[in-house]
Each structure stands twice: as C-alpha cells, then as structure tokens.
Amino acid sequence: MTSEDTGAFYVVTIDGPAGAGKSSVAKRTAHELGIKYLDTGAIYRAIALILAKSEIKPDSEEFLREALSEIKIELKENSVLVNGFDVSGEIRTSEVDELASVYSAVPAVRESLLTLQKEQENYGSLVAEGRDVGSVVFPDAKVKFFLTASPEARARRRYLERISKGKEADYNEILNSIKQRDINDSTRKLAPLSVPDGAVYLDTSDLTEDEAVKFIVDHVRGALLK
Ligand code: DC
C-alpha cells in the first residue's frame, strides 16, 4: 500500500537504542510500504563530524550557535551532504558514533536540526528512524514503534556487521560503547531516548530481521485500513 492508495501522506516512526536493528528494519519497512526512509541519526552524525572537524567544543554554546547557522545539511536519496560535500561514508565510523552521541545532547544542536527533520513529511510519506522521532519530531505520526534488544544482542550484531564489511572490530569495546551511548542518550536533559506515548514496543533480541520487518509492515497496513 502506498500514500497514493490512502490519499494522504503518513509517517511511521521507529525509535530505539543504538544497534537495535532500526536502520535495516526501517529501510526495509519503507521499501515494502513504497515510501521514503528518513535516517535522523545520519543528520546528527553529519553535524557532529563537521563541528568536531571545525574544533568547536560541545560546551561552547555561543560558537556552536554561530557555526550551526552556517552549516547547510541536505538529505538526498542515499546520501547526506554538508555544505555541498557528501559525508555519507565518513559518518559511519566508531569515532563518529561517539561524537554524535555527545553533540546530539547539546540543546542548540537539537534545535537547529528539528526544522530540517520536520519538513521531510511535506515531501511524501516516510518511515523515520531515530531516538525522538515519535515523541518530538513527529508526535502525530500514524504509527509509532520502539525497537530494542539486549545490549549483548546489539553488540553482537554491530560486531558481525563490521566484520562482514571487512572492518576491524572488538566485541567488548563495542559492548562498552553501546552501554555508554545508552546512558548518554537516555539521561540527557533534552529529548532523552524514551518509549513514545502510544508506541508499539518490540524487543528484537530473539527475532530475525525478516520477522521484525513483517511485524511492523503488517501493523502499519492494519493501522492504515482503520
Ligand atoms: O542511530 P545512530 O546511531 O546513527 O545515531 C547517532 C547518534 O545521534 C546517537 O548517539 C543518538 C543521536 N540521535 C539523536 O539524538 N536523535 C535522533 N533522532 C537520532 C539520533
């Protein structure tokens, strides 16, 4: 079923902690529903990368605001551009994992990225993935999901993903980093990671990706018929 079938744009949100399988599940869900995929984490990663490269510290609010006003982020079908440069590859490193977690806790950063995220629903139906997409960015979403898994299951997936791409990986390091990011993301003052009101809670520790996608797609189709 597509937006054309229902006659109106709709938003599906998928929130959850690092490594819960959100990206692959959200991407495949969007594909099956024939709608767009919005990776909000990529936007936070891109901004963190450029701020760190510019040596602007997360606690220098004044410099941050000035820098943020000069950064232009563009979202393309499969890439993220910062001031015209494609950073899609550069943002997928463990260094940027940490940077994004730190900079995304800064109020000025979150505020500056909110409009860019919100306006995406004007361009068509979408599956938005992130940490606060169901609670803050798209509170009126048609269907909301909270995808999670145990830290060990998440670390195992990240480890296998890195290895399969021929990258170096250390399971314990990944596990510790996931636990630390969980703490950062759920204890920050602004838009902490939480289960949005009305969200369907899905623990994927013992589910295959296919099972998770099927569950979500079936649920969305059911909701669209109501
Ligand atoms: O999903 P991800 O690992 O690519 O996200 C990178 C970081 O950005 C992560 O530490 C949390 C943050 N983030 C956020 O605070 N809010 C979002 N909507 C998406 C990501």
Side-chain angles (χ1 to χ4, degrees):
M1 190 171 301
T2 64
S3 320
E4 287 75 32
D5 299 320
T6 60
F9 291 158
Y10 65 91
V11 177
V12 174
T13 60
I14 304 184
D15 286 299
K22 279 179 305 173
S23 297
S24 339
V25 169
K27 235 179 258 172
R28 286 183 51 191
T29 299
H31 183 75
E32 290 214 12
L33 293 169
I35 62 179
K36 293 196 339 169
Y37 162 61
L38 173 64
D39 176 3
T40 61
I43 306 175
Y44 282 97
R45 285 169 179 275
I47 208 97
L49 175 72
I50 190 74
L51 289 171
K53 272 192 177 177
S54 312
E55 295 183 6
I56 295 173
K57 302 269 180 298
D59 57 1
S60 54
E61 190 91 13
E62 201 182 313
F63 290 117
L64 260 177
R65 285 193 189 273
E66 199 182 317
L68 287 165
S69 68
E70 284 163 18
I71 299 172
K72 185 170 176 235
I73 306 242
E74 289 167 88
L75 299 173
K76 304 277 180 196
E77 182 75 24
N78 287 310
S79 56
V80 189
L81 308 189
V82 178
N83 294 342
F85 288 98
D86 188 343
V87 295
S88 318
E90 239 182 306
I91 58 173
R92 304 290 167 194
T93 64
S94 42
E95 194 192 344
V96 179
D97 284 354
E98 308 290 334
L99 290 172
S101 182
V102 172
Y103 281 98
S104 64
V106 179
V109 171
R110 302 202 74 80
E111 279 161 31
S112 81
L113 296 181
L114 201 53
T115 313
L116 172 69
Q117 295 175 78
K118 278 182 182 287
E119 68 187 21
Q120 301 307 312
E121 71 178 319
N122 300 328
Y123 311 133
S125 295
L126 52 95
V127 176
E129 176 224 319
R131 301 294 194 286
D132 64 344
V133 283
S135 52
V136 177
V137 187
F138 302 112
D140 300 324
K142 182 85 184 161
V143 203
K144 302 176 185 181
F145 295 92
F146 188 85
L147 221 71
T148 190
S150 67
E152 291 73 17
R154 290 187 276 139
R156 200 168 51 242
R157 287 178 194 157
R158 269 275 143 101
Y159 172 81
L160 293 173
E161 185 188 315
R162 291 239 156 98
I163 294 287
S164 73
K165 286 182 183 158
K167 293 184 180 168
E168 277 186 24
D170 177 327
Y171 173 80
N172 286 321
E173 208 175 278
I174 295 174
L175 180 60
N176 288 336
S177 157
I178 280 183
K179 286 182 175 168
Q180 188 54 52
R181 289 173 66 201
D182 278 359
I183 294 172
N184 291 354
D185 293 346
S186 53
T187 57
R188 69 180 175 218
K189 288 203 190 83
L190 197 65
L193 174 66
S194 61
V195 184
D197 277 348
V200 178
Y201 187 92
L202 186 62
D203 186 326
T204 66
S205 302
D206 298 318
L207 291 185
T208 63
E209 197 176 287
D210 284 356
E211 287 167 335
V213 172
K214 184 174 182 328
F215 177 90
I216 292 179
V217 169
D218 286 351
H219 206 92
V220 173
R221 290 200 166 124
L224 289 174
L225 291 174
K226 278 182 194 156

